[in-house]
Structure formats: C-alpha cells, structure tokens
Amino acid sequence: MDIQLDHVKKSFGTAPVIQDLSFTIAGGEICCLLGPSGSGKTTLLRLMIGALPADSGTIRFGDTEMPDMAILKRLGFMPQNDALYEDLSAYGNLKFFGGLYSLPKQALDARITEVLAMVDLTNHSKKLVKNFSGGMKKRLSLAIAILHKPDILFLDEPTAGIDPVLRRKIWEQFQSFKAQGTTIIVSTHVMDEVVECDKGALLYNGQLIEYDTVPRLLDKTGSGRIEDLFFAASESEARP
Amino acid sequence: MIQLAKRVIRQTFNDKRSVMLILVAPLLILTLVYFLLGDSDYVATVGIDRGAVPAPVISELEQQELNLIDLTAEQAEQADDYLQQHKDVDAVLRFPENAGMAVTLYEPSKKGATAMGEIQNAMAAINPTAKTDVSYVYGTADQSTFDSLGYVFLALFSFFFVFIISAMALVRERSRGTLERLMMTPIRRGEVIAGYTAGYGVFAIAQAILIVLYAIFVLQLSNAGNIGWVLLTMVLLAVTAVSFGATISIFAGSELQVVQLIPFTIIPQVFFSGLIPLDLIPYHLGNLSYLMPIYYGAAAIKGVMVYGDGFAEIWGHLAGLTGYALVLYLINTQALKKFRKL
C-alpha cells in the first residue's frame, strides 16, 4: 500500500512547519526522513498517521484518505518521547496496548513474549517502567509499536539512546519486517542508518529538498556523506 | 473501554500515594473535622461581684454548668480591663443601677456563646414566663456542628480526591504523549473518557462505602434516611469529578497547573456546597450554586441524611448531577478531536 502525500501544508500559528509537500512512499520499502532538528520530521510523521490535521492537502494510504479507523488498526507508531505508563510494568503496558487491538488473550500473551524477546526485555517484564533506564524505555516503546504486527510502521527516532550492538539487532528486525512486506517510515538523526533504507527524504525547513533512492543520494553528495546535501541547501538559502 | 478501565485500576494500585489519597485521606480529614466541629464539654467561667448581684440570680447561676468567680466591685466595674488581664474568664456579669443586666465578653466566640447560653438559662429559671421552649422539625437541639454539617464533607470528599487524581492522571497522559499514542490505536474517543470514568468509578464506590460506614458507625454522624441513596449520590459525584478533572486537564499543561487551578475549580464549590447558608448570600449570588456539581450532591445527601428523603425528593438533584456529568463527557470527547479527528 503506497502512501501518497499531495500538497500537504501545516503551520503552527503563523510559522509554517511543512510547506507544500508532495511525494509517494512505495509500499514495502523502508523510507527514512532525514533532516536537522526543527526541519519538520516529527510533524510530517504525525501528519501522515493523522495525529495532526493538515491545513491543506491530502494524505492517502492506497485509495483511502486519512484519517481512517480501518487503516489505523494496521498502523504502528513509535513516538519520539517514550509515551509509556510509568506506573505499569513492561508487561502491563504491552497488555494494555495489545488489548486495544482486541487480540484474543492467548495470542496476545504469546505475542507479548515474542516482542519482549525481540527487544531484549524478557527479564524485565515485571518491572515497573518508572525503574527503567532510558534505553530500556525506548525498547519497550518499540515493542508496543510492533505488538499488533502492523503493515505500516512509523518510527520517530527509534534508535536514539540505544547502544550500537542493540541498534544493529533492531535494524535486523526492521529488515525482517520489510521482508514480510511491512512498510517502514523512520525518522533519524543518525546518518549511518540511512544506508539501511531504500529511500531517503531530506527535509529542510519544512521543504523536501531531496527524495531519492539511497545509493543515488549518496552519488549526489560526491563525498558519500549525506550531511553535505544539507550544507548545500543551507548555502543556497544564504545566497538570495 | 474495559481495557482502559482495567489499566486505570492497575495503575492506581501501583501508585500507593493515589490509593492513600482516595481511601485513607478522607477518613483522616473526617476524623479531624469530627473533633473540630464535635461537641465539647467546655464549662464557661463567669465573673460576678456577689455583693452587687441579687441572691436568687446567684443561686440560679450556681445551678447551671458554670464556674463562678468572685470579683471585687472595682474589678466588675472595669470589666474590659479585667477580661483582658484574665483570659481564663469568659464573661463578666453585672447589674448596673437602673439598667437590667450587663454582660461583657472578651470577643465574639464559641466560649462566649457558651457562657451567654448558661446565663440565659439561669435568667429563664428565675422568670418562668421568659422560658422559651424550642423544638425543631428536623434534628435536635443538642446536635453538634458535626452532626448538622457533616454531610457537606461526605460530598466534598467524594468529589475532591477523585477530581485531583483523575485530573492529574489525564494531564500526565497528555504531557507524556501516551494519549497521542492511545489515539493512534482503534479506540473510540468516547471510550477514553468512559474508560477513565469506569476505572475511577471502582475506586469511587470503595471510597463512598468506606467514608459512609466510617462516618455513620464510627463517628456516629446522625442519619435520618437510607444509606443507599447517600452512596449512590457519592458515586455519582465521583463520576462527575472524573469528567470535571478531564475537562480541567485540557486547560492544564502539567500536574502543577492542576493544583494552581484549584482556587478556580474547587474552592468556590466548597463555599457553595452548603457550609454557608446559601439563602443569606446577597444579590442572589446563592443561585451560582446551580453551576457547581458539589451543590447537587451535597443537597441530595443533606435531603437523605437530615430530612430522611428518598428518591422521590432527591431525584432532581441526582438528575442535575447526571446532566452535569453528561455535558462534561461530551466536551471531553470533543476535546480529544485535537488528537484525532475521528
């Protein structure tokens, strides 16, 4: 299922955050949103999932215009902040969110065991989240996002604060989700992660300055460093 | 909805302070109120100059529950100075020439009123025609303030503690981002508030039963009606409190701001709950009480506990409370559109 954005605009007050964006994310790909902080990555993600209404323009998943309850069931979302219930255990958080997707109890319990193992939290499942470290919270948040086996996964900086070993494991997971047909849209600061993706969308001041396959993006830089594309953008902006 | 209610219950149990606030704090404060407003067996002290007081008056005063202290003629004459220097004496009684009786009190206070009451009893005993027989349609003369105002606290507690906890939980849900995440699941907007109400409703029922049993059987609060209606009113109040808390949480950015809003949300309600007689307030300001959910609850509880009312008499108040809760529920459901248009 493709995700099509058509002339999407969003401003907070008078400050435009997303300026007339149109592009299509092909189903089954991993697309990363890249950009400096404040470039509108998080806003764009939230517009796509329907957490924010766009000022104008449309967002379609396949033929369905968002927001839509049926599509919502097939979405997984991992917000940038952890968004966990601190007074519940890891298991309690998973049980609650899983329950909202009305999975049968036994299937849910089996799935919870499975995702806890994926994010390496099996031994901490009974611990209250308020006693978790930052990295553990991040992993639990990811576990919640993938709990109901979504077809489309939105991840807002999923690996920030996670150590390199676990980060590699998580990306292996993402690749295996992709192999199963999941579309993944991931925002990131970490330029190393770009090579794991199929497409890269470069956001700068709410505008899409580049959208292409990752190998072609790397070609354009000449140096093999994606950052250079942003430097070029900021220089061209400085020259009126 | 059930999922959300279960989560709220589990979450509250995991936070010991919330459980204490709902179940222990009301009992603690009610006990304090009981001692503060309860009967005291205070015996007032009255100073008299025996030489200047007619003998029958003295003998009647001695019959009353009073401590009499002998003053010199000079001390009685300078009653103000004497009372200022002797704080343990509540009143000075004199019979000045060509004026009936003069009582000087230190300040308007409950102690002074006790002294005054006993002096008047003595006077009534001397002159039986001045004796007044007071009777009440409801209640009795020897009721303490706790007996006549205790019901207000039942209403206040069922509202206040649930309000605080639910408003804070919802503010936290907004600021931590869990609400946004929740709205990205197929849950319906109405279910969010309904789930919260159901979850805290369970605590509200436990709290109502605990408070009512404690007030009536341990603190001996007088009750003329059916406890069932009191419990129902308290649970309805708590349900309204959850919706009220949810609405307030829209205007609060943090838990601290919920506390900062208390002067606007809770304190006016305390004044209009029945602690102060509403028909004495000038400019018809007493009508403001119809805006306050606690008023409906307190009025219904008063009806049952003081007048022995049943459903036929209190249904109007219960309907007011239910209407209030429904309006707030709709506002809250609309407010969630900010997170998801559906």
Coordinates of all heavy atoms in Angstrom, one line a residue, chain B residues 119-179:
Chain B
I119 N -26.0 31.7 81.2 CA -26.5 32.9 81.9 C -28.0 33.0 81.6 O -28.9 33.2 82.4 CB -25.8 34.2 81.6 CG1 -24.3 34.1 82.1 CG2 -26.5 35.4 82.1 CD1 -23.4 35.2 81.6
Q120 N -28.4 32.9 80.3 CA -29.8 33.0 79.9 C -30.6 31.9 80.5 O -31.8 32.1 80.9 CB -29.9 33.0 78.3 CG -29.6 34.4 77.8 CD -29.3 34.4 76.3 OE1 -29.1 33.3 75.7 NE2 -29.3 35.6 75.7
N121 N -30.0 30.7 80.6 CA -30.8 29.6 81.3 C -31.1 30.0 82.7 O -32.2 29.7 83.2 CB -29.9 28.3 81.3 CG -29.9 27.7 79.9 OD1 -30.7 28.0 79.1 ND2 -29.0 26.7 79.7
A122 N -30.1 30.6 83.4 CA -30.4 31.0 84.8 C -31.5 32.0 84.9 O -32.4 31.9 85.7 CB -29.1 31.5 85.4
M123 N -31.5 33.0 83.9 CA -32.5 34.0 83.9 C -33.8 33.5 83.7 O -34.8 33.8 84.3 CB -32.1 35.1 82.9 CG -30.9 35.9 83.2 SD -31.0 36.6 84.8 CE -29.4 36.5 85.4
A124 N -33.9 32.5 82.7 CA -35.2 31.9 82.4 C -35.7 31.1 83.6 O -36.9 31.1 83.8 CB -35.0 31.0 81.2
A125 N -34.8 30.5 84.4 CA -35.3 29.8 85.6 C -35.9 30.7 86.6 O -36.8 30.3 87.3 CB -34.1 29.0 86.2
I126 N -35.3 32.0 86.7 CA -35.9 32.9 87.7 C -37.3 33.4 87.3 O -38.2 33.5 88.0 CB -34.9 34.1 87.8 CG1 -33.6 33.7 88.5 CG2 -35.6 35.2 88.6 CD1 -32.6 34.7 88.4
N127 N -37.4 33.7 86.0 CA -38.6 34.2 85.4 C -39.2 33.2 84.4 O -38.9 33.3 83.2 CB -38.3 35.6 84.7 CG -39.5 36.2 84.2 OD1 -40.6 35.7 84.4 ND2 -39.4 37.3 83.5
P128 N -40.1 32.3 84.9 CA -40.6 31.2 84.0 C -41.3 31.7 82.8 O -41.4 31.0 81.8 CB -41.5 30.4 85.0 CG -41.1 30.8 86.3 CD -40.6 32.2 86.3
T129 N -41.9 32.9 82.8 CA -42.6 33.4 81.7 C -41.6 33.7 80.5 O -42.0 33.7 79.4 CB -43.4 34.7 82.0 OG1 -42.5 35.6 82.5 CG2 -44.5 34.4 82.9
A130 N -40.4 33.9 80.8 CA -39.4 34.2 79.8 C -38.8 32.9 79.2 O -38.0 32.9 78.3 CB -38.3 35.0 80.3
K131 N -39.2 31.8 79.8 CA -38.7 30.5 79.3 C -39.2 30.2 77.9 O -40.4 30.3 77.7 CB -39.1 29.4 80.3 CG -38.3 28.1 80.2 CD -38.6 27.2 81.3 CE -37.8 25.9 81.3 NZ -37.9 25.2 80.0
T132 N -38.3 29.9 77.0 CA -38.7 29.5 75.7 C -38.5 28.1 75.4 O -37.5 27.5 75.7 CB -37.8 30.3 74.7 OG1 -37.4 31.6 75.2 CG2 -38.5 30.5 73.3
D133 N -39.5 27.5 74.8 CA -39.4 26.1 74.5 C -39.1 26.0 73.0 O -39.9 26.3 72.2 CB -40.8 25.4 74.8 CG -40.6 24.0 75.4 OD1 -39.4 23.6 75.3 OD2 -41.5 23.4 75.8
V134 N -37.9 25.5 72.7 CA -37.5 25.5 71.3 C -37.6 24.0 70.8 O -37.1 23.1 71.5 CB -36.1 26.0 71.1 CG1 -35.7 25.9 69.6 CG2 -35.9 27.4 71.7
S135 N -38.3 23.8 69.7 CA -38.3 22.5 69.1 C -38.0 22.6 67.6 O -38.2 23.6 67.0 CB -39.6 21.8 69.4 OG -40.6 22.5 68.6
Y136 N -37.5 21.5 67.0 CA -37.0 21.5 65.6 C -37.8 20.5 64.9 O -38.2 19.4 65.4 CB -35.6 21.2 65.5 CG -34.6 22.1 66.2 CD1 -34.3 21.9 67.6 CD2 -34.1 23.2 65.6 CE1 -33.5 22.8 68.2 CE2 -33.2 24.1 66.2 CZ -32.9 23.9 67.5 OH -32.1 24.8 68.2
V137 N -38.2 20.8 63.6 CA -38.9 19.8 62.8 C -37.9 18.7 62.5 O -38.2 17.5 62.6 CB -39.4 20.4 61.5 CG1 -40.1 19.4 60.6 CG2 -40.3 21.6 61.8
Y138 N -36.6 19.1 62.1 CA -35.6 18.1 61.8 C -34.4 18.3 62.8 O -34.1 19.4 63.0 CB -35.1 18.1 60.4 CG -36.2 17.8 59.4 CD1 -36.8 18.8 58.7 CD2 -36.6 16.5 59.2 CE1 -37.8 18.6 57.8 CE2 -37.7 16.2 58.3 CZ -38.2 17.2 57.6 OH -39.2 17.0 56.7
G139 N -33.9 17.3 63.3 CA -32.7 17.4 64.1 C -33.1 17.7 65.6 O -34.3 17.8 65.9
T140 N -32.1 17.8 66.4 CA -32.4 18.1 67.8 C -31.5 19.2 68.3 O -30.5 19.6 67.7 CB -32.1 16.8 68.7 OG1 -30.7 16.5 68.5 CG2 -33.0 15.7 68.4
A141 N -31.9 19.8 69.5 CA -31.2 21.0 70.0 C -29.7 20.6 70.4 O -28.8 21.5 70.2 CB -31.9 21.5 71.2
D142 N -29.5 19.4 70.8 CA -28.1 19.1 71.3 C -27.2 18.5 70.2 O -26.2 18.0 70.5 CB -28.2 18.2 72.5 CG -28.9 16.9 72.2 OD1 -29.4 16.8 71.1 OD2 -29.0 16.0 73.0
Q143 N -27.6 18.7 68.9 CA -26.8 18.3 67.8 C -25.5 19.1 67.8 O -25.6 20.4 67.9 CB -27.5 18.5 66.5 CG -28.1 17.2 66.0 CD -28.8 17.4 64.6 OE1 -28.9 18.5 64.1 NE2 -29.1 16.3 64.1
S144 N -24.4 18.5 67.5 CA -23.2 19.3 67.3 C -23.1 19.8 65.9 O -23.9 19.4 65.0 CB -22.0 18.4 67.6 OG -21.9 17.4 66.6
T145 N -22.2 20.7 65.7 CA -22.0 21.2 64.3 C -21.6 20.1 63.4 O -22.0 20.1 62.2 CB -20.8 22.3 64.3 OG1 -20.9 23.1 65.5 CG2 -20.9 23.1 63.1
F146 N -20.9 19.1 63.9 CA -20.5 18.0 63.0 C -21.8 17.3 62.6 O -21.9 16.9 61.4 CB -19.6 17.0 63.8 CG -19.2 15.8 63.0 CD1 -18.3 15.9 62.0 CD2 -19.7 14.6 63.3 CE1 -18.0 14.8 61.2 CE2 -19.4 13.4 62.6 CZ -18.5 13.6 61.5
D147 N -22.8 17.1 63.4 CA -24.0 16.5 63.1 C -24.7 17.2 62.0 O -25.3 16.6 61.1 CB -24.9 16.3 64.3 CG -24.6 15.0 65.0 OD1 -24.4 14.0 64.2 OD2 -24.7 14.9 66.2
S148 N -24.8 18.6 62.1 CA -25.6 19.3 61.2 C -24.8 19.7 59.9 O -25.5 20.0 58.9 CB -26.1 20.6 61.8 OG -25.1 21.2 62.5
L149 N -23.5 19.6 59.9 CA -22.8 19.9 58.6 C -22.0 18.8 58.1 O -21.4 18.9 57.0 CB -21.9 21.1 58.9 CG -22.5 22.5 58.9 CD1 -21.5 23.6 59.1 CD2 -23.3 22.8 57.6
G150 N -21.9 17.7 58.8 CA -21.1 16.5 58.4 C -21.4 16.1 57.0 O -20.4 15.7 56.3
Y151 N -22.6 16.2 56.6 CA -23.0 15.7 55.2 C -22.2 16.4 54.1 O -21.9 15.9 53.1 CB -24.5 15.8 55.0 CG -25.0 17.2 54.8 CD1 -25.0 17.8 53.6 CD2 -25.4 18.0 55.9 CE1 -25.4 19.1 53.4 CE2 -25.8 19.3 55.8 CZ -25.8 19.9 54.6 OH -26.2 21.2 54.4
V152 N -21.9 17.7 54.4 CA -21.2 18.5 53.4 C -19.8 17.9 53.1 O -19.4 17.8 51.9 CB -21.0 19.9 53.8 CG1 -20.1 20.7 52.9 CG2 -22.3 20.6 54.0
F153 N -19.2 17.3 54.1 CA -17.9 16.8 53.9 C -17.9 15.5 53.2 O -17.0 15.1 52.4 CB -17.2 16.6 55.3 CG -16.9 17.9 55.9 CD1 -17.8 18.4 56.9 CD2 -15.8 18.6 55.6 CE1 -17.6 19.7 57.4 CE2 -15.6 19.9 56.1 CZ -16.4 20.4 57.0
L154 N -19.0 14.7 53.3 CA -19.2 13.5 52.5 C -19.2 13.9 51.0 O -18.5 13.2 50.2 CB -20.5 12.8 52.9 CG -20.6 12.3 54.3 CD1 -21.9 11.4 54.4 CD2 -19.4 11.5 54.8
A155 N -19.9 14.9 50.7 CA -20.0 15.4 49.3 C -18.6 15.9 48.8 O -18.2 15.5 47.8 CB -21.1 16.4 49.1
L156 N -18.0 16.7 49.7 CA -16.7 17.3 49.3 C -15.7 16.3 49.0 O -15.0 16.3 48.0 CB -16.2 18.2 50.4 CG -16.7 19.7 50.4 CD1 -16.2 20.4 51.6 CD2 -16.4 20.4 49.2
F157 N -15.6 15.3 49.9 CA -14.5 14.3 49.8 C -14.7 13.4 48.5 O -13.8 13.1 47.8 CB -14.5 13.4 51.0 CG -14.0 14.1 52.2 CD1 -14.3 13.6 53.5 CD2 -13.3 15.3 52.1 CE1 -13.9 14.3 54.6 CE2 -12.9 16.0 53.2 CZ -13.2 15.5 54.5
S158 N -16.0 13.0 48.3 CA -16.2 12.1 47.1 C -15.8 12.9 45.8 O -15.5 12.3 44.9 CB -17.6 11.6 47.1 OG -18.5 12.3 47.7
F159 N -16.0 14.2 45.8 CA -15.6 15.0 44.6 C -14.2 15.3 44.6 O -13.5 15.0 43.6 CB -16.4 16.3 44.6 CG -16.4 17.0 43.3 CD1 -17.3 16.7 42.3 CD2 -15.4 17.9 43.0 CE1 -17.3 17.3 41.1 CE2 -15.4 18.6 41.8 CZ -16.3 18.3 40.8
F160 N -13.6 15.8 45.6 CA -12.3 16.4 45.6 C -11.2 15.4 45.3 O -10.4 15.6 44.4 CB -12.0 17.1 46.9 CG -10.7 17.8 47.0 CD1 -10.4 18.9 46.2 CD2 -9.7 17.4 47.8 CE1 -9.2 19.5 46.2 CE2 -8.5 18.0 47.9 CZ -8.2 19.1 47.0
F161 N -11.1 14.3 46.0 CA -10.0 13.4 45.8 C -10.0 12.8 44.5 O -8.9 12.6 43.9 CB -9.9 12.4 47.0 CG -9.7 13.1 48.3 CD1 -10.7 13.2 49.2 CD2 -8.5 13.6 48.6 CE1 -10.5 13.8 50.5 CE2 -8.2 14.2 49.8 CZ -9.2 14.4 50.7
V162 N -11.1 12.3 44.0 CA -11.2 11.7 42.7 C -10.9 12.7 41.6 O -10.2 12.4 40.7 CB -12.6 11.1 42.5 CG1 -12.7 10.6 41.0 CG2 -12.8 9.9 43.4
F163 N -11.3 14.0 41.8 CA -11.0 15.0 40.9 C -9.5 15.2 40.7 O -9.0 15.2 39.6 CB -11.7 16.4 41.3 CG -11.1 17.6 40.7 CD1 -11.4 17.9 39.4 CD2 -10.2 18.4 41.4 CE1 -10.8 19.0 38.8 CE2 -9.6 19.5 40.8 CZ -9.9 19.8 39.5
I164 N -8.8 15.4 41.9 CA -7.4 15.6 41.9 C -6.7 14.5 41.1 O -5.8 14.7 40.2 CB -6.9 15.7 43.3 CG1 -7.2 17.0 43.9 CG2 -5.4 15.5 43.4 CD1 -6.4 18.2 43.3
I165 N -7.0 13.2 41.5 CA -6.3 12.1 40.9 C -6.6 11.9 39.4 O -5.6 11.7 38.6 CB -6.6 10.8 41.7 CG1 -5.9 11.0 43.1 CG2 -6.1 9.6 41.0 CD1 -6.1 9.8 44.0
S166 N -7.8 12.1 39.0 CA -8.1 11.9 37.6 C -7.6 13.0 36.8 O -7.1 12.8 35.7 CB -9.6 11.7 37.4 OG -10.3 12.8 37.8
A167 N -7.7 14.3 37.3 CA -7.2 15.4 36.5 C -5.7 15.2 36.3 O -5.2 15.4 35.2 CB -7.5 16.7 37.2
M168 N -5.0 14.8 37.3 CA -3.5 14.7 37.2 C -3.2 13.5 36.3 O -2.2 13.6 35.5 CB -2.9 14.5 38.6 CG -2.9 15.7 39.4 SD -1.8 15.6 40.8 CE -1.9 17.3 41.4
A169 N -3.9 12.4 36.4 CA -3.6 11.3 35.5 C -3.8 11.7 34.1 O -3.0 11.3 33.2 CB -4.5 10.1 35.9
L170 N -4.8 12.5 33.8 CA -5.1 12.8 32.4 C -4.1 13.9 31.9 O -3.7 13.8 30.7 CB -6.5 13.4 32.3 CG -7.5 12.2 32.1 CD1 -8.9 12.6 32.5 CD2 -7.5 11.8 30.6
V171 N -3.7 14.8 32.8 CA -2.7 15.7 32.4 C -1.4 15.0 32.0 O -0.7 15.2 31.0 CB -2.4 16.8 33.5 CG1 -1.1 17.5 33.2 CG2 -3.5 17.7 33.6
R172 N -1.0 14.0 32.9 CA 0.2 13.2 32.7 C 0.0 12.5 31.3 O 1.0 12.4 30.5 CB 0.3 12.2 33.8 CG 1.8 11.9 34.1 CD 1.9 11.0 35.3 NE 1.2 11.5 36.5 CZ 0.6 10.7 37.4 NH1 0.5 9.4 37.2 NH2 0.0 11.2 38.4
E173 N -1.1 12.0 31.1 CA -1.4 11.2 29.8 C -1.2 12.1 28.6 O -0.6 11.7 27.6 CB -2.8 10.7 29.8 CG -3.1 9.8 28.7 CD -3.5 8.4 29.1 OE1 -4.0 8.2 30.2 OE2 -3.3 7.5 28.3
R174 N -1.6 13.4 28.7 CA -1.3 14.4 27.6 C 0.1 14.7 27.5 O 0.7 14.6 26.4 CB -2.1 15.7 27.9 CG -3.4 15.7 27.4 CD -4.1 16.9 28.0 NE -5.5 16.6 28.2 CZ -6.5 16.7 27.3 NH1 -6.2 17.2 26.1 NH2 -7.7 16.4 27.5
S175 N 0.8 15.0 28.7 CA 2.1 15.6 28.6 C 3.2 14.5 28.2 O 4.2 14.7 27.6 CB 2.5 16.3 29.8 OG 2.4 15.5 30.9
R176 N 2.9 13.2 28.7 CA 3.8 12.1 28.4 C 3.7 11.6 27.0 O 4.5 10.8 26.5 CB 3.6 11.0 29.4 CG 4.0 11.3 30.8 CD 5.4 10.8 31.1 NE 5.8 11.3 32.3 CZ 5.5 10.9 33.5 NH1 4.7 9.8 33.6 NH2 6.0 11.4 34.6
G177 N 2.6 12.0 26.3 CA 2.4 11.5 24.9 C 1.7 10.2 24.8 O 1.4 9.7 23.8
T178 N 1.3 9.6 26.0 CA 0.6 8.4 25.9 C -0.8 8.6 25.3 O -1.4 7.6 24.7 CB 0.4 7.7 27.3 OG1 0.1 8.7 28.3 CG2 1.8 7.1 27.7
L179 N -1.4 9.8 25.5 CA -2.7 10.0 25.0 C -2.7 10.0 23.4 O -3.5 9.4 22.8 CB -3.3 11.3 25.5 CG -4.7 11.6 25.1 CD1 -5.6 10.5 25.7 CD2 -5.2 12.9 25.6

